[in-house]
Amino acid sequence: MGVEQKLGNMGVVTTTLETVVNWSRTNAMWPMLFGLACCAIEMMAAQAADYDMSRFGMELMRASPRQSDLMIVAGRVSKKMGPVLRRLYDQMPEPKWVIAMGDCASCGGVFNNYAIYQGVDEVVPVDVFVAGCPPRPEALIHGVLTLHEKVKVDTFKDFGEKYK
Amino acid sequence: MDKRLEPIVKDVQEKFSATFDEFRDEVHLMVAAEQIVDVLTLLRDEYKFELLSSLTASDYWPQETPRFHVVYQLSSIEKNICLQVRVPVNGTSPKVPTVIGVYKVANWRERELLDMFGIEFDGHPDPRRILMPEGTEGHPLRKDFPLGYEEPQFTFNFEEIGLTKPSPKE
Amino acid sequence: MAQIEEVNVEQFKHLVSERALTGETMLLNMGPQHPSTHGVLRLLLELDGEIVVNCIPDIGYLHTGIEKNMESKTYQKAEVMTDRLDYMNTMGNNLSYVMAVEKLVDLDVPARAQALRVILVELQRIASHLVLIGTWGLDLAAMSMFLYCFREREQILDIFELVSGQRMMTTYIRPGGVWRDVPVEFEKAVRDFLKTFPKRVDEYEKLLTKNPLFVDRMVDIGYLTKETALSYGVTGPNLRASGVNWDLRKARPYMGYEQYDFDVPVLHEGDTYARYLVRIEEFRQSLRIIEQALNKLPMGPVRSENRKFVPPPRSEIGVSMESLIHHFKLWTEGFPAPKNSIYSAVESPRGELGMYLEGDGGPKPHRIHLRTPSFDNLSVLPEIVKGHLVADLVAILASIDIVLGDIDR
């Protein structure tokens, strides 16, 4: 506010470092190309022409966890898949976020039985839950935007506490 | 019964002393476990049942004799007929001879039955679990295996369930 | 939580060649998280340089316990599980299950419901093949195919949403008919699709069928003989590309398929390219079926009048005591089924989707086994990839058209 008004139109903007970092994080969030079940098809639909998630800087699905910072758990997680999912999460570099897409990933959905984790939050920490079986692509996009809101208010202090 | 099936059922009955019953135009042949390889070989070679459509089992717990039925569903592409062969087996750890030599598709299907029902197949080249992780206890599709129902977490029991619900480390 | 164990050659001693034990060949892990395994399939590859010597599929990463869960629900409620089984073919799964239940309790379906079922299942077949062709293109680096195919798929999903309110998990086909009659806009929506889609198929063919980059990766790759295919229980387009004319819609017609005039595409090459061509031709045949079914669509009820199995419409409940009782009984208790077993199968986009259903005299199934086509189709993979390059494995795997939900159940 202050400096720009005093100096006039010199192409200078002042802001906090936190805002810039969070802004850049939200607008180039690379999800991991990782489909489990039915929701993966809707995730693909969200990437495709009709819904086009690249409007939000997410066109690049990375197949390697090392290159991605958002994990969309799209589908049910079985007892056999749980350890694999955890390993993939551990391989992602910080900062990283997780969206549990769909009912199965959020709470087990209709599958309340011996084979399925009742919510992926038993395996990895989840930031945003998206409801629906499967959620429409719009719902997924809404979930992503909700995550953006969350990331935008992140502070360095919290961040430092979290990854001490 | 379908006219084309009559001679086949009769032949199998004579050769293997099998019994049969009918339901909704389907024929279910009952065959002893030791004879299953011979029966399927006969049906495949003589009567052109090229396709083993399905191989599954059914658990009749707490009944012990027979505890399981192993069900072979056969299809003939040439004659367009189908036939079900059932093998009753007793006890909690039954053994059935493998039919991989007759139909190769039985390889994975028998592994699935081993995994899900604990039915062992004699002579199977690769007897590992196929769907459940290695080291799982029990066989999920048996009737004495619990469904594994977990109480859902709602607002009224949020804390109660939260105490026992596993949570990951960051 | 269990830990992941390192891959040990000793563990797979009986499945790999002796050269792997001496270290001459390499054991490589592909999946469960891999962009071209179409889900959470894990393949252990024994490689000699870039040549696949052995391939050991490891499945079960999506094992959902659907069969066990269905056994704990009544016949009506178990149906929602079938949607999530093979998520590319939700209508077809519903149809397969519902036909099994109808056969078990001996229930008739009105003609209009049958025709509606045919239209929707054929639309679903097109949608499923669209996803396949799109992701197949993606695997072989043709990005634009994915975008085009999903554009048309959205059109089909809009029709599903119109009739059932859901895009994917519709549960629209119910025992004794369908959930409700289709809205008036349905016919126009389907006709619009019928008008635009043939041109789109030509467009796909222009992009892929003669494209040398695509053809070179497909011709003479992954040869599957007729005998191998039958012995491994391979069904559907994969079997028809190997020269066996076996389509359950023709062989054992159900839902009035005998009234419609359509051809079953059969090719004798048996390679990956033939499997592609069969599916492209199936687009056109499905369109023919839909058009005929839509032209002949009879008027009348869409649900059976047998109140012992089919709940009465909402309007009847307010005025008829008997309807109220039926409604209450059906949704609290369910209907009993005889103590016997049946097997019924339909032709899904991937092959023979069968249901082995066994009743125990009560309202819940004693045993339900889902004979899923992808399971058997995948089991032939180790046989046909031997001697090919790793890059060809991707094309072959795509051509088999697996859906992991279908395999692991």
Side-chain angles (χ1 to χ4, degrees):
Chain A
M1 286 297 130
V3 184
E4 294 101 323
Q5 281 165 355
K6 289 234 166 71
L7 294 179
N9 187 14
M10 285 179 67
V12 178
V13 175
T14 55
T15 178
T16 59
L17 186 59
E18 267 171 5
T19 316
V20 176
V21 168
N22 289 340
W23 170 78
S24 60
R25 275 176 183 162
T26 51
N27 285 295
M29 212 175 245
W30 289 0
M32 184 158 59
L33 178 54
F34 176 52
L36 284 167
C38 334
C39 294
I41 310 298
E42 288 296 67
M43 190 167 74
M44 278 156 71
Q47 294 281 335
D50 273 35
Y51 297 96
D52 195 13
M53 242 174 15
S54 61
R55 289 177 292 163
F56 308 101
M58 297 185 61
E59 73 272 33
L60 216 52
M61 298 286 267
R62 303 311 296 180
S64 164
R66 305 268 184 211
Q67 300 167 346
S68 47
D69 44 15
L70 170 64
M71 180 194 251
I72 302 177
V73 185
R76 49 212 187 227
V77 181
S78 71
K79 292 270 151 77
K80 196 168 176 178
M81 193 65 200
V84 181
L85 188 88
R86 181 71 210 190
R87 176 173 281 197
L88 287 170
Y89 178 78
D90 289 342
Q91 283 174 341
M92 284 162 61
E94 302 284 354
K96 55 193 171 186
W97 299 277
V98 177
I99 291 182
M101 180 185 180
D103 286 352
C104 303
S106 302
C107 64
V110 289
F111 302 111
N112 199 341
N113 61 23
Y114 64 93
I116 294 294
Y117 278 107
Q118 298 302 304
V120 75
D121 53 342
E122 294 182 11
V123 186
V124 291
V126 179
D127 292 289
V128 174
F129 295 94
V130 181
C133 188
R136 302 175 58 92
E138 291 101 322
L140 177 62
I141 292 171
H142 180 246
V144 169
L145 293 180
T146 313
L147 181 66
H148 285 183
E149 296 297 316
K150 187 179 172 180
V151 173
K152 274 179 192 156
V153 296
D154 233 355
T155 60
F156 284 163
K157 187 164 166 285
D158 293 348
F159 210 73
E161 294 276 309
K162 197 173 164 190
Y163 301 108
K164 205 177 267 175
Chain B
M1 195 196 307
D2 195 324
K3 282 224 167 53
R4 291 165 297 175
L5 272 174
E6 271 168 21
I8 303 171
V9 172
K10 210 173 160 193
D11 191 24
V12 177
Q13 255 186 319
E14 279 167 10
K15 282 188 182 144
F16 299 99
S17 67
T19 58
F20 76 95
D21 65 42
E22 270 186 84
F23 183 68
R24 306 253 190 265
D25 296 333
E26 281 185 27
V27 180
H28 309 163
L29 270 175
M30 291 284 198
V31 177
E34 310 81 61
Q35 295 170 328
I36 184 65
V37 178
D38 294 333
V39 171
L40 291 190
T41 314
L42 175 85
L43 287 172
R44 185 194 63 176
D45 294 341
E46 289 284 313
Y47 298 109
K48 300 277 182 287
F49 283 93
E50 305 101 328
L51 205 60
L52 179 64
S53 280
S54 163
L55 170 50
T56 182
S58 187
D59 185 3
Y60 295 102
W61 183 80
Q63 183 184 314
E64 280 290 322
T65 48
R67 165 90 193 249
F68 300 100
H69 272 189
V70 183
V71 183
Y72 300 79
Q73 183 76 33
L74 305 170
S75 298
S76 167
I77 287 176
E78 201 178 299
K79 296 181 183 168
N80 192 11
I81 44 179
C82 49
L83 180 66
Q84 197 178 85
V85 181
R86 299 174 79 96
V87 173
V89 282
N90 305 334
T92 43
S93 52
K95 281 199 163 82
V96 181
T98 177
V99 297
I100 293 184
V102 194
Y103 299 104
K104 285 186 182 150
V105 56
N107 186 342
W108 280 25
R109 292 274 174 205
E110 283 177 358
R111 273 177 71 189
E112 192 196 342
L113 290 188
L114 171 70
D115 190 353
M116 290 291 146
F117 287 95
I119 299 172
E120 282 180 41
F121 287 88
D122 272 340
H124 194 287
D126 183 21
R128 285 182 296 138
R129 277 184 183 270
I130 190 165
L131 293 175
M132 297 300 287
E134 286 291 336
T136 312
E137 297 214 348
H139 304 283
L141 281 180
R142 285 190 174 190
K143 289 284 174 193
D144 51 355
F145 190 93
L147 177 64
Y149 182 83
E150 281 178 36
E151 192 79 11
Q153 196 172 21
F154 293 113
T155 38
F156 71 90
N157 60 1
F158 192 85
E159 282 169 9
E160 194 183 318
I161 302 286
L163 289 176
T164 53
K165 197 174 162 82
S167 67
K169 59 181 191 303
E170 287 282 323
Chain C
M1 200 191 326
Q3 289 301 309
I4 309 173
E5 285 173 29
E6 292 298 320
V7 175
N8 188 355
V9 186
E10 288 293 314
Q11 197 188 342
F12 299 100
K13 203 158 58 178
H14 55 296
L15 296 170
V16 296
S17 71
E18 279 172 16
R19 292 193 293 159
L21 299 175
T22 59
E24 200 182 326
T25 54
M26 184 177 70
L27 215 56
L28 182 80
N29 188 38
M30 181 174 168
Q33 188 259 333
H34 191 279
S36 57
T37 51
H38 291 228
V40 284
L41 168 69
R42 178 174 174 220
L43 297 169
L44 275 172
L45 304 174
E46 189 195 344
L47 299 176
D48 181 4
E50 249 196 273
I51 304 212
V52 180
V53 181
N54 265 312
C55 166
I56 309 164
D58 184 10
I59 60 173
Y61 287 94
L62 197 61
H63 176 59
T64 318
I66 288 184
E67 290 175 11
K68 184 97 177 168
N69 234 358
M70 284 173 89
E71 283 163 22
S72 71
K73 291 184 185 301
T74 60
Y75 287 100
Q76 295 124 313
K77 290 177 186 171
E79 198 193 333
V80 293
M81 300 279 161
T82 60
D83 283 309
R84 281 114 186 127
L85 164 69
D86 171 359
Y87 37 82
M88 305 287 218
N89 178 32
T90 53
M91 287 280 187
N93 296 342
N94 288 164
L95 179 66
S96 176
Y97 173 73
V98 162
M99 272 173 58
V101 174
E102 281 160 3
K103 190 172 175 186
L104 187 66
V105 299
D106 202 11
L107 184 61
D108 287 330
V109 185
R112 184 175 171 83
Q114 291 196 5
L116 283 176
R117 284 176 178 190
V118 167
I119 295 172
L120 291 167
V121 168
E122 290 304 319
L123 281 173
Q124 182 80 70
R125 188 183 312 277
I126 293 174
S128 168
H129 284 346
L130 277 173
V131 175
L132 169 73
I133 303 276
T135 51
W136 199 337
L138 214 53
D139 285 348
L140 301 183
M143 180 77 193
S144 46
M145 269 317 283
F146 168 72
L147 298 172
Y148 290 143
C149 287
F150 268 72
R151 178 187 58 189
E152 269 73 71
R153 185 170 174 273
E154 287 297 327
Q155 219 177 336
I156 296 177
L157 292 192
D158 285 347
I159 296 174
F160 288 169
E161 200 178 354
L162 191 68
V163 298
S164 75
Q166 250 276 32
R167 279 159 57 90
M168 281 173 73
M169 308 306 169
T170 49
T171 322
Y172 179 68
I173 298 169
R174 302 274 172 93
V178 295
W179 171 42
R180 59 172 189 193
D181 206 346
V182 287
V184 281
E185 300 90 350
F186 174 73
E187 187 171 343
K188 187 177 173 294
V190 179
R191 292 229 187 262
D192 280 353
F193 179 74
L194 287 175
K195 208 184 286 170
T196 55
F197 194 65
K199 277 180 252 157
R200 308 283 198 211
V201 180
D202 295 341
E203 222 173 272
Y204 304 155
E205 287 227 85
K206 260 184 221 156
L207 276 167
L208 292 182
T209 309
K210 293 280 164 58
N211 184 341
L213 292 175
F214 193 67
V215 173
D216 283 355
R217 299 264 322 251
M218 311 267 273
V219 175
D220 286 337
I221 299 291
Y223 187 69
L224 176 62
T225 61
K226 196 173 162 179
E227 288 73 30
T228 319
L230 284 174
S231 179
Y232 275 94
V234 174
T235 45
N238 298 331
L239 184 64
R240 294 195 280 277
S242 294
V244 183
N245 189 351
W246 180 246
D247 188 323
L248 289 173
R249 290 174 295 171
K250 277 273 187 221
R252 299 176 204 148
Y254 50 89
M255 292 300 129
Y257 265 111
E258 65 274 7
Q259 315 160 27
Y260 309 120
D261 179 31
F262 66 101
D263 300 320
V264 179
V266 179
L267 287 176
H268 293 271
E269 284 83 359
D271 60 355
T272 309
Y273 190 55
R275 294 197 271 278
Y276 161 77
L277 290 177
V278 164
R279 291 193 171 95
I280 288 283
E281 188 53 34
E282 283 197 357
F283 278 142
R284 302 211 167 88
Q285 299 305 329
S286 290
L287 285 176
R288 277 176 73 188
I289 299 173
I290 296 169
E291 191 161 16
Q292 291 171 47
L294 198 61
N295 289 340
K296 281 190 203 165
L297 189 64
M299 296 309 283
V302 293
R303 282 161 133 194
S304 164
E305 296 292 323
N306 191 339
R307 294 277 171 259
K308 293 284 171 232
F309 302 109
V310 183
R314 187 72 190 83
S315 55
E316 261 181 42
I317 296 173
V319 289
S320 157
M321 189 65 198
E322 203 172 82
S323 291
L324 186 64
I325 293 168
H326 280 312
H327 178 88
F328 181 74
K329 288 277 272 185
L330 276 171
W331 291 113
T332 52
E333 199 176 282
F335 51 78
K339 193 174 176 172
N340 216 323
S341 71
I342 57 105
Y343 177 81
S344 111
V346 302
E347 184 75 20
S348 93
R350 270 156 280 282
E352 177 182 339
L353 175 64
M355 298 267 164
Y356 169 84
L357 187 57
E358 188 171 329
D360 61 352
K364 291 177 183 175
H366 175 75
R367 169 88 179 108
I368 175 151
H369 175 70
L370 314 160
R371 187 267 184 219
T372 46
S374 299
F375 187 86
D376 296 333
N377 291 358
L378 180 69
S379 72
V380 81
L381 180 76
E383 203 73 11
I384 60 176
V385 295
K386 275 177 195 163
H388 286 299
L389 301 176
V390 181
D392 294 335
L393 170 72
V394 173
I396 295 170
L397 195 60
S399 79
I400 295 177
D401 189 13
I402 51 164
V403 169
L404 264 293
D406 204 23
I407 294 170
D408 294 343
R409 300 180 298 261

